[in-house]
C-alpha cells in the first residue's frame, strides 16, 4: 500500500530555517508534534512494517499539518512531509559526480561458479569459512542518497558509475523515504539503494496508462526507470515507487560498524527502508540454502527480484579483498533463471471459451523461461494483439512469473522479418465453424455456435456442474471433457439421462465411481432457483445477479416472460445484462433445454417474495452520489430492503438522486433531466419513516 502523496504547495519566501516571531507558539509546537508523529508513523509503516494507526488517522494528521502550514507558510521547511512534491518541472537533469564510484557486481549463474567465488574469497583472506551478508537482488535502479545534517539534500542515479543525474525532486516524492534521518546520525551520509516498483502498483499504473491512451511499461523495472526519469516531479509523485537501501558511500563525522549487516541495521535505525529479507550466514552452503529459499518465495514477494547478492560481511575483510576493474572482489550476484526471454512467434491460434470468446494464443519456438519450457503464451484478446503490434514471425518478449500463464509482453519490431503477416481474426469458429461475431466497440470476438460448439459446450457444462451452480459432486472438468468427447453430453439436460454403464465405460472410471456420480447427479436435481439461474451460464449473470432475479420475480416462468424493461427493475441489472437475459430466454434452444431439465426432475422451491407492504419503494430507482455521512453501502442496502433499485448512473428513469457533499456530474445530469434531488437528511427521513 502506498500512502497518499502530498499536494504541491507554494514555498515560503522567507528563509526556510529562521522562523519569524509572527507564528503563535501553539501553532509552532503543534506543527513540530505533527511532523514528529508523521515521521514516526511513516517509519513504523515502511521501515518496521508495523503500522500502529489506520491510514485514515495518518491522513487526518497529515491534513492538519497541511492546514497549519497553509495558515502559517513560514512553518514550511524542506523536510516537512507536506513538501515532497515541489518545484517547477525541469528541462534537463543536472549532472552529479560520485565521489565514491558506484560499482557494479559480478554475476554467477550456477552453484559451481558460486563455489569458485567463495574459494577465491577464502584464498584471498586465508580463512576456512567466510561470514556473508545475503540479500535479495532487487530488480530496479541503483540510487545514491545524500543526507547532510540528517536532511536529504541530493539523490542521484548511478549513471556510468562516476557521474549520474540529479533526480532529487523525484526521489523526494517517494513516501517511504525519510526526508530527515532519525536519532544520532553522521554529519554527512551517502546511502545507496535500489528504487523499484512493486508489482501491484505496476499493474495499476499500466491499467491507468491504458485507460488514458498512454504507452504501457513492459515490466516493473522499466516503469520504475521511466518514473524516476520524469522531468516533472508531480508525475513521479503519482507513481508507486519504493526504495530499499543496501550500502553506503561517503560517510563523514561518524564511525560506522565494521560489519556490513550492522551498517544496514544502523540505516534502519536512522529510518531508512532496508529489505526485511536480509540475513547473515556462515559459509557457502548456507549461501546456497538462502538462494533456494528466496528463489522459492520469489513469486510471493510483492516486487521483482532477479537473484540474490552475497557480500563478505566484515568491512576490514572487504577492504583487504578490494576491487577488480569495476566490481568488488567481496561481493557477487547469484542470478535466478530469467522470467523474461526472447523467442519467435511461430503462429497465432484461437481458443474458444464458455461464452464463445475467442482468445488469441501465440505458439512459440520453445524457450526456457523462469526454469520451464514455454511453447504457448496468451495474447488476451484482439485489442491487446493489435496494441502490441504482434506479427507472425516476430521476436517476442515472453514472460512467465510463478504460476501465472505465460504471456507475450511485447515484440521487437526492429527484428521483424519482411512480409511478416498480422494474425487475422477468423471469420468462422476454429472448433465448430459457426460465424465469429464481434459487437461494435467490444474487444472480444465470439463464436456464434452456442452450445452446438463443442468448445463452448464443454465450458458451459463445466460451469453447470460446478460447486456454486448445480454442485454435482464428482463431475469435474476432466470428466466433462471425456463425456463430451465420447459424444455422451451435448447439453446440460443430457447429464440427467446418463446411466451407470455409459459412465463406467469411460477411461479411468470404475463401476463404483460411476454409481457415485449417478447418485450425485440425482441429488443435484433438488436445487434452488438462484443456483439454477446461475448454472444456465447467461452472460454477465453471476451468483449475486441470479439471486436478485430470483428474489425479484419469484419464479422462472416470470423471468422467462419478463421484458428487457421489466428486467431493468432488478438490482444490479443494467441495459446490457437485461439484453443478455432476455436474449437467452428468447432462444428456442435454451427454452427447450430448460423444459427437458424440468422433465428430468430438476426442481426448486418457490421463492417467497416480500409483500408490497414490505417493499414500499418497489419500482423506484435511486442513484447515490457525493459523500454521505452514512456509508454508500449502508444507504444502498437500506433502500434495496424497501424494494428500491439502486443504480450507478442517472437517466430519465431515475426516481430520485441523493446528492451528498461534493456531488459532481451525476448531480448535474439529474438537474438537466429534471430528476428529483434529495439531500441526505431527506433520505434519512424516508428510511426512518419505514424503520
Ligand atoms: S550492492 C559494490 N546489493 O545490482 C556493490 N546491489 O548488478 C554495489 N542491486 O547496481 C551493489 N540489489 O542496482 C547491491 N542488495 C543489493 C542489490 C544491488 C540490487 C543492483 C544495483 C547494482 C546492480 C549490480
Amino acid at each position: 500500500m502506498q500512502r497518499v502523496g502530498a499536494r504541491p504547495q507554494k514555498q515560503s519566501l522567507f528563509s526556510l530555517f529562521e522562523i519569524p516571531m509572527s507564528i503563535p507558539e501553539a501553532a509552532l509546537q503543534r506543527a513540530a508534534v505533527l511532523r514528529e508523529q508523521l515521521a514516526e508513523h511513516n517509519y513504523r509503516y515502511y521501515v518496521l512494517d508495523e503500522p500502529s494507526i489506520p491510514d485514515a488517522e495518518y491522513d487526518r494528521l497529515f491534513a492538519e499539518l497541511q492546514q497549519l502550514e497553509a495558515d502559517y507558510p513560514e512553518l514550511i521547511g524542506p523536510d516537512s512531509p507536506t513538501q515532497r512534491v515541489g518545484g517547477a518541472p525541469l528541462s534537463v537533469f543536472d549532472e552529479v559526480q560520485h565521489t565514491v564510484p558506484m560499482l557494479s557486481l559480478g554475476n554467477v549463474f550456477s552453484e559451481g561458479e558460486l563455489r569458485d567465488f567463495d574459494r577465491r574469497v577464502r584464498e584471498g583472506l586465508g580463512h576456512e569459512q567466510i561470514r556473508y551478508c545475503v540479500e535479495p537482488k532487487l530488480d530496479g535502479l541503483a540510487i545514491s542518497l545524500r543526507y547532510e545534517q540528517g536532511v536529504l539534500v541530493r539523490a542521484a542515479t548511478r549513471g556510468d558509475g562516476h557521474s549520474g543525474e540529479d533526480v532529487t525532486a523525484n526521489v523526494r516524492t517517494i513516501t517511504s523515504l525519510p526526508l530527515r534521518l532519525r536519532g544520532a546520525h553522521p554529519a554527512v551520509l551517502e546511502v545507496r539503494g535500489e528504487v523499484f516498483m512493486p508489482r501491484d502498483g505496476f499493474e495499476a499504473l499500466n491499467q491507468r496508462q491504458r485507460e488514458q491512451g498512454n504507452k504501457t511499461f513492459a515490466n516493473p523495472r522499466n516503469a520504475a526507470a521511466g518514473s524516476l526519469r520524469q522531468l516533472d516531479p508531480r508525475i513521479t509523485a503519482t507513481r508507486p515507487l519504493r526504495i530499499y537501501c543496501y550500502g553506503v558511500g561517503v560517510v563523514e563525522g561518524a564511525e560506522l560498524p565494521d560489519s556490513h549487516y550492522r551498517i544496514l541495521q544502523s540505516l534502519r535505525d536512522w529510518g531508512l527502508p532496508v529489505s526485511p529479507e536480509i540475513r547473515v550466514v556462515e559459509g557457502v552452503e548456507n549461501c546456497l540454502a538462502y538462494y533456494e529459499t528466496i528463489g522459492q518465495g520469489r513469486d510471493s514477494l510483492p516486487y521483482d527480484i532477479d537473484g540474490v547478492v552475497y557480500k563478505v560481511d566484515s568491512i576490514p575483510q572487504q577492504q583487504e579483498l578490494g576491487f577488480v576493474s569495476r566490481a568488488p572482489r567481496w561481493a557477487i550476484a547469484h542470478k535466478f533463471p530469467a522470467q523474461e526471454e526472447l523467442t519467435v512467434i511461430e503462429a497465432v491460434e484461437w481458443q474458444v471459451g464458455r461464452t464463445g470468446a475467442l482468445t488469441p494464443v501465440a505458439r512459440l519456438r520453445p524457450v526456457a523461461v523462469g526454469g520451464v519450457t514455454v511453447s504457448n503464451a496468451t495474447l488476451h484478446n484482439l485489442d491487446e494483439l493489435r496494441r502490441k503490434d504482434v506479427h507472425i514471425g516476430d521476436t517476442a518478449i515472453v514472460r512467465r512469473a510463478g504460476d501465472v500463464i505465460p504471456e507475450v509482453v511485447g515484440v521487437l519490431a526492429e527484428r521483424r522479418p519482411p512480409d511478416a503477416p498480422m494474425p487475422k481474426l477468423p471469420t468462422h469458429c476454429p472448433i465448430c465453424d459457426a460465424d465469429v461475431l464481434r459487437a461494435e466497440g467490444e474487444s472480444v470476438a465470439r463464436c456464434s455456435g452456442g452450445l452446438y460448439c463443442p468448445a463452448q459446450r464443454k465450458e458451459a457444462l463445466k460451469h453447470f456442474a460446478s460447486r456454486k451452480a448445480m454442485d454435482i459432486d464428482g463431475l469435474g472438468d476432466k470428466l466433462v471433457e471425456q463425456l463430451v468427447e465420447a459424444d455422451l453430453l451435448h447439453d446440460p439436460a443430457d447429464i440427467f439421462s446418463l446411466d451407470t454403464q455409459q459412465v463406467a465405460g469411460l477411461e479411468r472410471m470404475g463401476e463404483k465411481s460411476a454409481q457415485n456420480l449417478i447418485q450425485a447427479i440425482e441429488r443435484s436435481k433438488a436445487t434452488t432457483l438462484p443456483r439454477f439461474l446461475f448454472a444456465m451460464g447467461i452472460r454477465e449473470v453471476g451468483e449475486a445477479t441470479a439471486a436478485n432475479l430470483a428474489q425479484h420475480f419469484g419464479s422462472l416462468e416470470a423471468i422467462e416472460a419478463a421484458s428487457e424493461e421489466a428486467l431493468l427493475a432488478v438490482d444490479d441489472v443494467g441495459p446490457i445484462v437485461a439484453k443478455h437475459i432476455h436474449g437467452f430466454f428468447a432462444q428456442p434452444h435454451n427454452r427447450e433445454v430448460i423444459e427437458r431439465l424440468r422433465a428430468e426432475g430438476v426442481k426448486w422451491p418457490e421463492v417467497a417474495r416480500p409483500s408490497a407492504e414490505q417493499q414500499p419503494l418497489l419500482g423506484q430507482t435511486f442513484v447515490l452520489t457525493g459523500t454521505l455521512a452514512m456509508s454508500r453501502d449502508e444507504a444502498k442496502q437500506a433502500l434495496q430492503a424497501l424494494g428500491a433499485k439502486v443504480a450507478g448512473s442517472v437517466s430519465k428513469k431515475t426516481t430520485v438522486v441523493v446528492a451528498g457533499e461534493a456531488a459532481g456530474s451525476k448531480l448535474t445530469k439529474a438537474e438537466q433531466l429534471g430528476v428529483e434531488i434529495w439531500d441526505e437528511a431527506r433520505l434519512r427521513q424516508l428510511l426512518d419513516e419505514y424503520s
Side-chain angles (χ1 to χ4, degrees):
M1 203 188 333
Q2 183 90 358
R3 288 216 141 120
V4 197
R7 288 174 196 285
Q9 279 202 342
K10 263 206 280 191
Q11 286 281 341
S12 156
L13 293 176
F14 294 104
S15 151
L16 295 170
F17 292 101
E18 283 165 38
I19 296 167
M21 298 317 292
S22 61
I23 306 175
E25 183 62 25
L28 250 177
Q29 276 179 10
R30 183 64 190 152
V33 167
L34 285 170
R35 272 181 209 163
E36 195 168 309
Q37 287 183 346
L38 288 165
E40 179 67 24
H41 291 309
N42 243 20
Y43 172 67
R44 290 180 150 274
Y45 187 90
Y46 287 113
V47 181
L48 302 183
D49 199 15
E50 283 168 4
S52 57
I53 54 166
D55 280 10
E57 177 63 8
Y58 179 94
D59 294 343
R60 204 190 56 73
L61 294 172
F62 192 92
E64 190 187 341
L65 180 61
Q66 263 183 329
Q67 187 56 54
L68 264 179
E69 290 179 345
D71 294 344
Y72 307 104
E74 299 91 334
L75 281 173
I76 298 171
D79 62 335
S80 174
T82 60
Q83 300 303 300
R84 286 192 174 268
V85 194
L90 304 173
S91 51
V92 61
F93 295 111
D94 284 341
E95 191 183 301
V96 174
Q97 296 292 327
H98 299 301
T99 326
V100 178
M102 291 182 77
L103 301 170
S104 61
L105 288 171
N107 290 321
V108 296
F109 295 90
S110 68
E111 180 178 333
E113 288 175 292
L114 175 65
R115 289 185 188 280
D116 291 344
F117 164 79
D118 176 61
R119 187 179 34 75
R120 288 196 302 274
V121 171
R122 282 185 290 112
E123 287 173 2
L125 295 171
H127 285 308
E128 286 275 295
Q129 184 168 283
I130 305 298
R131 168 180 295 205
Y132 290 103
C133 183
V134 293
E135 313 176 359
K137 186 171 191 299
L138 303 153
D139 202 5
L141 331 80
I143 194 91
S144 148
L145 309 162
R146 187 177 167 94
Y147 286 87
E148 290 178 6
Q149 315 308 330
V151 177
L152 175 68
V153 293
R154 198 167 60 218
T157 60
R158 176 170 176 272
D160 63 4
H162 295 282
S163 70
E165 288 174 326
D166 185 335
V167 287
T168 314
N170 288 342
V171 168
R172 282 176 60 92
T173 68
I174 305 178
T175 0
S176 59
L177 191 72
L179 297 176
R180 174 182 283 280
L181 299 179
R182 300 160 56 85
H185 46 70
V188 176
L189 176 69
E190 186 205 344
V191 187
R192 281 154 184 202
E194 195 86 348
V195 173
F196 60 95
M197 190 176 286
R199 273 193 293 266
D200 59 352
F202 162 74
E203 298 295 345
L205 170 61
N206 263 359
Q207 182 63 31
R208 219 163 62 211
Q209 293 285 100
R210 254 190 296 269
E211 281 163 13
Q212 296 170 354
N214 294 332
K215 89 170 200 358
T216 54
F217 297 95
N219 53 43
R221 208 198 92 85
N222 286 3
S227 303
L228 201 61
R229 296 202 68 261
Q230 282 290 336
L231 289 165
D232 185 350
R234 280 171 303 188
I235 297 181
T236 313
T238 67
R239 305 286 173 82
L241 295 175
R242 298 286 292 256
I243 290 186
Y244 275 144
C245 301
Y246 52 64
V248 293
V250 176
V251 181
E252 287 171 19
E255 279 280 310
L256 295 193
D258 64 359
S259 134
H260 176 75
Y261 185 71
R262 276 188 278 124
I263 292 177
L264 296 183
Q265 281 183 323
S266 305
L267 297 184
R268 243 173 109 82
D269 292 342
W270 291 325
L272 293 157
V274 174
S275 163
E277 317 296 333
I278 297 180
R279 304 280 181 276
V280 197
V281 303
E282 300 283 345
V284 70
E285 298 306 332
N286 288 315
C287 288
L288 286 165
Y290 180 77
Y291 177 83
E292 275 305 309
T293 312
I294 293 281
Q296 273 158 19
R298 178 183 189 188
D299 298 321
S300 41
L301 286 175
Y303 43 80
D304 282 356
I305 59 174
D306 56 350
V308 299
V309 184
Y310 312 113
K311 299 173 183 172
V312 171
D313 187 54
S314 150
I315 304 294
Q317 287 182 355
Q318 288 186 0
Q319 284 159 350
E320 199 176 328
L321 287 163
F323 301 89
V324 343
S325 68
R326 306 191 45 205
R329 283 204 188 86
W330 46 264
I332 199 91
H334 190 176
K335 300 290 271 293
F336 291 134
Q339 287 183 320
E340 284 184 6
E341 283 295 349
L342 290 180
T343 190
V344 174
I345 297 181
E346 294 184 327
V348 171
E349 290 173 8
W350 300 82
Q351 270 174 4
V352 184
R354 167 164 75 85
T355 59
L358 264 63
T359 307
V361 177
R363 303 284 177 225
L364 308 169
R365 183 171 299 164
V367 62
V369 192
V372 288
T373 303
V374 170
S375 39
N376 301 307
T378 178
L379 283 155
H380 302 293
N381 58 46
L382 194 65
D383 280 353
E384 189 89 356
L385 188 77
R386 294 286 177 258
R387 202 154 39 73
K388 289 181 175 159
D389 192 31
V390 170
H391 287 57
I392 295 160
D394 267 347
T395 299
I397 305 169
V398 176
R399 180 177 170 87
R400 178 192 171 275
D403 297 334
V404 183
I405 308 169
E407 63 163 349
V408 171
V409 174
V411 298
L412 306 184
E414 64 278 15
R415 294 213 202 163
R416 177 169 300 152
D419 308 326
M422 294 239 281
K424 275 212 238 26
L425 179 69
T427 51
H428 292 89
C429 172
I431 310 289
C432 74
D433 209 37
D435 288 347
V436 167
L437 307 173
R438 187 178 183 203
E440 188 94 20
E442 264 205 55
S443 59
V444 185
R446 287 191 161 80
C447 156
S448 60
L451 288 181
Y452 293 112
C453 173
Q456 288 187 59
R457 200 188 305 156
K458 279 183 192 170
E459 298 309 315
L461 287 164
K462 287 177 193 172
H463 173 77
F464 182 82
S466 66
R467 202 169 49 78
K468 291 180 174 168
M470 296 297 282
D471 194 18
I472 308 179
D473 216 16
L475 189 51
D477 292 0
K478 281 271 154 356
L479 191 52
V480 169
E481 284 178 18
Q482 274 181 292
L483 288 163
V484 171
E485 277 154 26
D487 219 22
L488 291 173
L489 288 188
H490 298 93
D491 62 45
D494 293 342
I495 294 177
F496 298 93
S497 42
L498 285 172
D499 64 42
T500 319
Q501 256 47 54
Q502 287 172 317
V503 179
L506 296 172
E507 235 180 276
R508 285 191 299 273
M509 259 288 169
E511 186 81 16
K512 184 71 197 146
S513 31
Q515 270 170 14
N516 287 344
L517 178 68
I518 299 298
Q519 277 167 13
I521 291 173
E522 195 56 34
R523 272 200 306 277
S524 74
K525 285 181 182 173
T527 186
T528 66
L529 180 54
R531 274 183 180 275
F532 183 79
L533 279 172
F534 176 59
M536 291 292 95
I538 306 167
R539 276 178 61 198
E540 315 256 358
V541 176
E543 273 179 284
T545 310
N548 290 345
L549 282 166
Q551 184 72 52
H552 187 93
F553 289 102
S555 72
L556 184 65
E557 291 73 13
I559 301 172
E560 284 177 323
S563 63
E564 278 181 43
E565 181 93 54
L567 287 162
L568 277 174
V570 180
D571 255 313
D572 292 333
V573 173
I576 295 175
V577 187
K579 222 182 207 41
H580 288 324
I581 300 169
H582 190 256
F584 179 88
F585 290 110
Q587 284 254 343
H589 172 74
N590 291 334
R591 283 179 175 258
E592 211 177 284
V593 170
I594 291 172
E595 270 326 298
R596 282 178 47 219
L597 284 166
R598 304 193 87 165
E600 292 284 357
V602 174
K603 58 178 190 307
W604 50 86
E606 281 287 310
V607 178
R609 294 171 65 204
S611 67
E613 253 158 65
Q614 287 164 305
Q615 303 225 298
L617 303 183
L618 209 61
Q620 302 193 13
T621 303
F622 280 67
V623 172
L624 305 171
T625 181
T627 315
L628 303 178
M630 67 176 113
S631 81
R632 280 251 187 122
D633 261 351
E634 209 182 315
K636 184 173 174 183
Q637 279 168 17
L639 285 165
Q640 287 175 347
L642 295 172
K645 176 180 159 100
V646 179
S649 58
V650 181
S651 73
K652 275 189 287 195
K653 297 200 181 105
T654 311
T655 323
V656 169
V657 169
V658 180
E661 261 182 56
S665 60
K666 288 180 196 170
L667 177 58
T668 321
K669 179 132 191 232
E671 284 164 352
Q672 283 165 358
L673 295 175
V675 172
E676 191 169 337
I677 299 165
W678 289 4
D679 61 7
E680 190 175 355
R682 178 72 187 81
L683 174 66
R684 273 253 172 250
Q685 204 184 332
L686 173 88
L687 297 178
D688 289 345
E689 248 171 68
Y690 291 109
S691 67

